[in-house]
């Protein structure tokens, strides 16, 4: 069957039966839709009558909330699908009488309409499909050449029997509020975010205020360098919200403290929190009372377990886990450089002091890469006869030369320390010399038939050596961890370690210029798995016939 980029799934099964049917329905839909799947709840809809069915309101109850939560949870196994449950026809306690007669615009017009509705003949060529297409086009802005599919998922009999039961509490209507507030980072908008936002939309009658973490609030986030820019997070957030419930008013604002406008806005009535941020809701109310404002009703939702979480990830679905999974993957397509030969494929490996860059370089060497250590080449360039030797003496004087004819590196350091002009005079000599030695090492690797070289260079980006590599790989750890490592390794004070890091390019600046990002924050076993993943993905990029079981050629560098 053809694969469509976008689709709308019309669910007609009774709410009491849908819960256990969701997984097989979504599995069937995921084979047909590859990107965006809208979900429209219309239990009891008949597609076999003589009259054209129309969309009707469903009351917003705890049962509906639980079903939406389970739907997003079940959809998490289909990583390719951006699932969006449409809430236009789910009505809360608001007194306003909204109409469902108008066609709702969607950001990704569906190319196919799917349904769990089943006909007696079990076929695809019957009037029910025509009814389905008319129903979809009367409700939403669809693709001009809309296709319809009856899914016919395979259900378990026992599951349907179990789910025909309904508790009284689940049928109770949600208590809605005129103005609701919620906060979060909303990085890489995922299904747990969508559950939170959907509940907020169902609770809101007029306005939903959303505080999006920015600036100082991001400082303690895991792998903060991989957090999407604020503007991109807001764009995704706004598109999702307008898609699922366009009738609501949305205020999306940046917050750089834990409270934002939640403690100053007098019109707010309710705050939505998760199990882990419940205390934050209580703190908001305390501050509101101090500001002479009424307390907010705290609506708590449960965290969603991530069945795919690894040993160094949170058990819940979280943005930090998504960022963790980006490590070792290609974040940015390498720019083409016609002047560089395709082989050897050169990786520029960089990272700040204490990042663990050198340990990663050694692992990559064991996997088969030729290791080119730019620090060693820097020492080599200073040696008598080296490409930088005479130029450095001419620039800085003969008093830097030892009795044996070698350059005293400490003497050089004393001349350039704290003097940017002097340091630039030195790097203008040494960096080009190192680049020359790197090119020679790459040529030697090519002559030996080695396919990948790793250029280990702390100043890769500062020196402009990224023009000499096919990809830039950056190693990062949090500043606190880097300081601890520097102090332990070099026996220096905390202040000295901080000053060293402050004089270097920041992690964020390096990540911005990188194709692949790695981290040595966790146990060595985790790092090794991460590097192996990065290496295998690299091999697939440069060798279409690569097999993960192939042995690697070892380097002599």
């Amino acid at each position: 069957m053809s694969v469509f980029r976008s689709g709308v799934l019309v669910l007609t099964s009774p709410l009491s039966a849908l819960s256990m049917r969701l997984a097989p329905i979504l599995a069937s839909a995921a084979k047909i839709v590859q990107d965006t799947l809208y979900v429209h709840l219309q239990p009891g809809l008949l597609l076999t009558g003589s009259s054209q069915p129309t969309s009707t309101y469903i009351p917003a109850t705890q049962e509906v909330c639980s079903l939406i939560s389970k739907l997003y949870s079940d959809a998490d196994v289909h990583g390719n699908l951006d699932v969006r449950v449409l809430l236009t026809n789910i009505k809360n306690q608001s007194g306003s009488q909204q109409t469902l007669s108008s066609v709702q615009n969607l950001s990704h017009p569906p190319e196919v309409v799917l349904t769990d509705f089943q006909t007696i003949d079990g076929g695809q060529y019957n009037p029910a499909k025509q009814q389905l297409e008319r129903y979809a086009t009367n409700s939403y802005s669809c693709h001009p050449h809309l296709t319809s599919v009856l899914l016919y998922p395979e259900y378990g009999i026992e599951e349907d029997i179990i789910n025909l039961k309904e508790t009284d509490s689940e049928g109770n209507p949600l208590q809605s509020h005129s103005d609701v507030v919620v906060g979060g980072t909303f990085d890489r908008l995922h299904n747990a975010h969508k559950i939170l936002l959907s509940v907020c939309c169902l609770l809101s009658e007029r306005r939903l205020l959303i505080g999006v973490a920015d600036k100082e609030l991001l400082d303690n986030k895991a792998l903060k360098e991989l957090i999407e820019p604020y503007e991109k997070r807001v764009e995704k957030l706004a598109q999702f919200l307008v898609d699922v419930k366009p009738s609501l008013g949305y205020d999306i604002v940046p917050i750089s403290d834990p409270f934002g406008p939640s403690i100053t806005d007098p019109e707010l009535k309710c705050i939505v929190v998760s199990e882990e941020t419940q205390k934050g809701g209580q703190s908001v109310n305390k501050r509101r009372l101090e500001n002479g404002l009424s307390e907010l009703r705290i609506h708590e939702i449960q965290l969603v377990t991530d069945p795919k979480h690894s040993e160094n990830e949170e058990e819940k679905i979280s943005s930090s886990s998504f960022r963790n999974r980006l490590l070792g993957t290609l974040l940015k397509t390498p720019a083409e450089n016609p002047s560089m030969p395709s082989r050897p494929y050169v990786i520029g490996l960089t990272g700040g002091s204490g990042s663990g860059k050198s340990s990663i370089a050694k692992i990559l060497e064991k996997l088969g890469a030729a290791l080119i250590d730019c620090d060693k080449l820097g020492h080599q360039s200073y040696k008598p006869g080296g490409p930088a030797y005479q130029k450095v003496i001419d620039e800085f004087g003969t008093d830097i030369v030892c009795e044996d004819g070698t350059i005293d590196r400490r003497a050089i350091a004393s001349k350039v320390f704290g003097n940017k002009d002097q340091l630039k005079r030195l790097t203008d000599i040494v960096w080009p010399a190192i680049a020359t030695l790197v090119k020679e090492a790459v040529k030697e690797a090519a002559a030996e038939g080695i396919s990948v070289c790793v250029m280990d260079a702390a100043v890769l980006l500062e020196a402009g050596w990224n023009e000499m590599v096919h990809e830039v790989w950056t190693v990062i750890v949090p500043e606190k961890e880097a300081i601890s490592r520097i102090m332990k390794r070099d026996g220096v004070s905390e202040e000295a370690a901080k000053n060293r890091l402050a004089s270097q390019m920041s992690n964020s600046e390096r990540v911005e210029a990188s194709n692949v990002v790695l981290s040595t924050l966790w146990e060595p076993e985790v790092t090794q798995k991460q590097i192996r993943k990065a290496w295998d993905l690299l091999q697939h990029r440069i060798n279409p016939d690569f097999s993960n079981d192939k042995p690697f050629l070892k380097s002599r560098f």
Side-chain angles (χ1 to χ4, degrees):
M1 186 173 287
S2 300
V3 175
F4 301 88
R5 288 172 299 176
S6 59
V8 56
L9 170 62
V10 179
L11 296 176
T12 65
S13 297
L15 291 179
S16 57
L18 259 180
S19 182
M20 294 303 289
R21 291 183 178 184
L22 287 175
I25 291 173
L26 290 170
S28 298
K31 296 176 182 177
I32 300 171
V33 178
Q34 64 180 11
D35 293 328
T36 306
L37 179 66
Y38 295 103
V39 179
H40 174 88
L41 292 172
Q42 195 66 77
L45 181 71
L46 292 177
L47 298 173
T48 53
S50 57
S51 61
Q52 177 61 37
T54 57
S55 182
T56 57
Y57 280 117
I58 304 168
T61 62
Q62 185 56 52
E63 180 188 20
V64 171
C65 274
S66 298
L67 183 67
I68 291 173
S69 178
K70 188 169 191 310
L71 193 153
Y72 279 122
S73 298
D74 287 351
D76 212 50
V77 299
H78 307 291
N80 62 302
L81 278 184
D82 175 8
V83 175
R84 304 182 182 193
V85 181
L86 300 168
L87 306 174
T88 303
N89 69 320
I90 302 177
K91 188 174 177 58
N92 57 28
Q93 294 175 308
S94 170
S96 62
Q97 296 298 316
Q98 302 166 349
T99 176
L100 287 173
S101 59
S102 60
V103 174
Q104 179 181 335
N105 291 322
L106 298 174
S107 58
H108 305 281
E111 299 174 359
V112 61
V113 55
L114 317 167
T115 185
D116 61 338
F117 184 83
Q118 299 187 356
T119 60
I120 297 174
D121 64 3
Q124 289 291 335
Y125 303 99
N126 54 57
K129 292 187 64 178
Q130 297 175 1
Q131 293 268 46
L132 179 63
E133 290 174 22
R134 284 196 293 266
Y135 180 83
T137 53
N138 287 339
S139 302
Y140 303 105
S141 59
C142 298
H143 192 275
H145 304 291
L146 183 69
T147 301
S148 58
V149 177
L150 307 183
L151 291 176
Y152 298 109
E154 295 184 5
Y155 304 130
I157 297 176
E158 300 84 355
E159 293 172 350
D160 281 349
I161 293 174
I162 291 171
N163 279 274
L164 287 174
K165 296 181 179 180
E166 178 183 324
T167 63
D168 292 336
S169 61
E170 287 182 333
N172 291 337
L174 288 178
Q175 181 183 345
S176 57
H177 307 270
S178 61
D179 297 71
V180 176
V181 64
V182 69
T185 307
F186 299 106
D187 179 40
R188 306 181 190 280
L189 196 68
H190 51 67
N191 287 332
H193 289 144
K194 293 175 183 179
I195 293 171
L196 174 66
L197 293 167
S198 296
V199 171
C200 290
C201 288
L202 292 178
L203 291 171
S204 305
E205 299 171 359
R206 187 180 73 89
R207 177 183 63 132
L208 175 58
L209 173 61
I210 306 163
V212 179
D214 195 26
K215 299 179 180 177
E216 292 87 349
L217 271 187
L218 303 180
D219 286 344
N220 294 322
K221 296 289 183 182
L223 299 172
K224 65 176 182 178
E225 297 84 1
L226 296 179
I227 294 176
E228 293 173 317
Y230 172 80
E231 294 74 16
K232 187 173 184 179
R233 286 180 281 141
V234 168
E235 180 184 0
K236 290 182 178 180
L237 192 58
Q239 186 194 84
F240 172 81
L241 291 168
V242 172
D243 260 354
V244 299
K245 195 169 182 181
S247 61
L248 265 185
Y250 298 106
D251 285 343
I252 304 177
V253 298
I255 54 174
S256 55
D257 65 74
F259 301 104
S262 67
I263 60 173
T264 58
D265 190 326
E267 296 183 338
L268 293 175
K269 305 299 180 187
C270 174
I271 184 170
V272 182
V273 299
S274 67
E275 296 172 69
E276 64 181 3
T277 60
Q278 209 271 347
K279 289 184 178 179
Q282 295 174 359
S283 297
V284 165
N285 277 338
K286 182 180 178 182
R287 293 289 298 273
R288 285 181 68 87
L289 290 175
E290 292 173 357
N291 292 337
L293 299 175
S294 60
E295 288 185 304
L296 303 179
R297 179 176 181 270
I298 299 177
H299 186 98
E300 181 183 322
I301 67 168
Q302 293 183 336
L303 297 173
V304 183
T305 301
D306 183 356
K308 298 179 291 185
H309 78 276
S310 63
E311 55 192 346
N312 60 312
E313 295 175 349
E314 295 182 88
E315 291 187 10
K316 65 172 184 175
I317 296 177
S318 71
S319 297
S320 60
S321 295
F322 280 78
R323 294 193 294 273
N324 190 301
R325 292 164 198 169
L326 291 174
L327 296 173
T329 66
L330 190 66
L331 301 179
K332 186 188 302 181
T333 303
E336 292 187 12
N337 188 346
S339 64
M340 285 189 66
S342 59
R343 293 292 185 277
Y345 198 83
V346 184
I347 300 298
L349 182 66
T350 190
S353 184
S355 65
K357 170 181 60 67
S358 297
S359 63
I360 286 181
K362 291 175 182 177
I363 295 174
L364 290 170
E365 183 180 23
K366 290 179 180 178
L367 288 172
L371 179 56
I372 302 172
D373 189 331
C374 288
D375 190 48
K376 290 182 179 178
L377 293 183
H379 288 284
Q380 186 178 326
S381 71
Y382 279 99
K383 291 181 178 179
Y389 178 77
Q390 192 57 49
K391 292 179 181 179
V392 171
I393 294 174
D394 293 343
E395 184 67 34
F396 292 96
T398 56
D399 58 321
I400 64 171
V401 181
C402 299
E403 292 183 3
D404 60 0
T406 60
I407 291 177
D408 186 344
R409 290 173 61 87
R410 290 185 178 180
I412 282 286
S414 66
K415 286 179 177 284
V416 303
F417 181 76
N419 189 321
K420 291 184 178 180
D421 292 335
Q422 287 282 73
L423 180 61
K424 188 177 186 305
R425 288 168 57 196
L426 178 63
T427 56
D428 284 347
I429 296 171
V430 177
W431 285 352
I434 294 174
T436 299
L437 295 176
V438 168
K439 291 175 182 177
E440 291 176 1
V442 171
K443 287 181 181 179
E444 289 182 37
E448 295 191 11
I450 295 174
S451 61
V452 177
C453 291
V454 172
M455 179 180 172
D456 179 358
V459 293
L460 179 84
L461 299 172
E462 296 91 329
W465 294 337
N466 48 314
E467 299 297 325
M468 300 166 54
V469 303
H470 294 93
E471 294 181 17
V472 174
W473 291 17
T474 288
V475 186
I476 61 173
V477 293
E479 181 179 323
K480 185 176 180 181
E481 175 67 17
I483 290 171
S484 175
R485 291 180 182 183
I486 294 169
M487 292 171 62
K488 184 177 180 180
R489 181 191 66 195
D490 301 339
V492 298
S493 66
E494 181 177 351
E495 183 181 1
K498 286 182 177 179
N499 290 338
R500 185 181 304 180
L501 290 177
S503 68
Q504 299 175 1
M505 183 178 283
S506 70
N507 281 342
S508 296
E509 290 172 316
R510 287 193 178 93
V511 167
E512 182 65 27
S514 299
N515 304 103
V516 175
V517 175
L518 305 163
S519 179
T520 61
L521 181 59
W522 302 279
E523 293 79 6
E525 297 77 16
V526 175
T527 300
Q528 289 170 9
K529 288 180 182 178
Q530 186 188 127
I531 307 311
R532 182 65 198 225
K533 178 177 77 171
W535 177 263
D536 287 347
L537 291 173
L538 168 67
Q539 296 303 316
H540 283 294
R541 290 199 292 276
I542 65 177
N543 300 315
D545 299 326
F546 170 74
S547 168
N548 289 359
D549 298 327
K550 281 185 178 181
F552 297 101
L553 176 66
K554 294 293 183 272
S555 164
R556 295 189 306 172
F557 282 82

